[in-house]
Amino acid sequence: MASNILSNRLEKLEQEGLIAKQQDEKDKRKKIYTLTEKGVDMLPILLDMILWSAKYSADTNIPVTLVNRARDDRDGLLEELRNRVAF
């Protein structure tokens, strides 16, 4: 993906309040993006989209371990993902 397209998409996600941008303390040229509470609330929807894609699109690169975990322990996976994000 071209860097200008990625920048545009990240900017839109930030404007919508789904992600927050911070400057990397170690390298001031880098930015660190994290999910906001609003973004975390979308995790169940994103997980369902991943499962749908894995089922209906054979050419995705979704890790099999993620698909299996999402099918077998959806609630546990969502809890783990939520716990990784600090507000």
Side-chain angles (χ1 to χ4, degrees):
M1 177 183 302
S3 62
N4 63 325
I5 293 172
L6 178 58
S7 281
N8 260 354
R9 292 180 183 176
L10 288 169
E11 187 175 317
K12 286 179 184 179
L13 291 171
E14 187 178 15
Q15 288 171 354
E16 292 297 324
L18 296 169
I19 62 172
K21 176 175 63 175
Q22 297 176 345
Q23 195 169 36
D24 188 332
E25 293 292 321
K26 296 175 187 169
D27 185 347
K28 301 294 183 190
R29 297 170 297 164
K30 293 182 181 180
K31 307 290 185 247
I32 297 173
Y33 293 91
T34 56
L35 287 175
T36 62
E37 186 173 0
K38 185 177 179 180
V40 170
D41 285 345
M42 286 193 65
L43 286 173
I45 297 165
L46 297 172
L47 192 56
D48 287 340
M49 291 173 67
I50 289 168
L51 288 172
W52 183 90
S53 295
K55 182 176 182 179
Y56 292 106
S57 184
D59 62 343
T60 61
N61 292 323
I62 303 168
V64 174
T65 54
L66 174 61
V67 173
N68 291 339
R69 175 90 190 274
R71 284 187 192 136
D72 299 340
D73 184 23
R74 184 178 193 276
D75 291 339
L77 177 57
L78 285 169
E79 182 178 343
E80 182 181 322
L81 292 170
R82 286 183 181 113
N83 288 336
R84 288 185 182 196
V85 179
F87 299 110

